[in-house]
Amino acid sequence: MRSLGHRPGAGGEEDPRVAELRTAVSRLRRELAAVRADFPDRAIAEEELAALAAMARDGFPEIPRLRGSLLLLAGAIGSMSALSGALRQVRAAVDLFGEPAPRGLLPRPDQPSDANSPRS
């Protein structure tokens, strides 16, 4: 049985990035719940926060999915100043996982980027 959804990494310790993500998502969920005003994209924000919470609970978030959820969250609640601090914290937590490697967009360092490029 898993204890409170925490999943240890190598050596039995939880990845600190996952812990930070879990904390940031929890804060934003609480602050969003406290907002009484109804807004059109609230359901989207809640769904994406649930998805982020599930990834953090599992302990192995997929970086492209993290970034996609962050973009949807920013679009859904980005203009609500009351949530800006918590949203920044989620962004910082997602950024801890680094940039995903773009597929097929960047040449290998030992290869020219274009067939027409001069070779050295």
Side-chain angles (χ1 to χ4, degrees), residues 75-91:
I77 62 175
S79 64
M80 299 186 70
S81 61
L83 300 174
S84 64
L87 182 58
R88 272 194 306 273
Q89 185 180 4
V90 170
R91 179 182 177 195

Side-chain angles (χ1 to χ4, degrees), residues 45-84:
E46 290 170 346
E47 287 173 18
E48 292 308 315
L49 283 168
L52 286 169
M55 284 187 270
R57 184 177 50 251
D58 291 343
F60 299 103
E62 298 175 26
I63 295 171
R65 179 70 176 110
L66 284 174
R67 297 220 173 266
S69 289
L70 179 61
L71 285 173
L72 287 169
L73 275 171
I77 62 175
S79 64
M80 299 186 70
S81 61
L83 300 174
S84 64

Side-chain angles (χ1 to χ4, degrees), residues 3 5-6 9 19 22 26-27 32-33 38 42 45 49-50 52 54-56 59 66-67 75 83 88 93 104 108 120:
S3 138
H6 297 270
R22 184 180 299 112
S26 178
R27 174 185 172 197
L32 178 60
D38 194 23
R42 183 182 207 110
L49 283 168
L52 286 169
M55 284 187 270
L66 284 174
R67 297 220 173 266
L83 300 174
R88 272 194 306 273
R108 290 184 10 207
S120 43

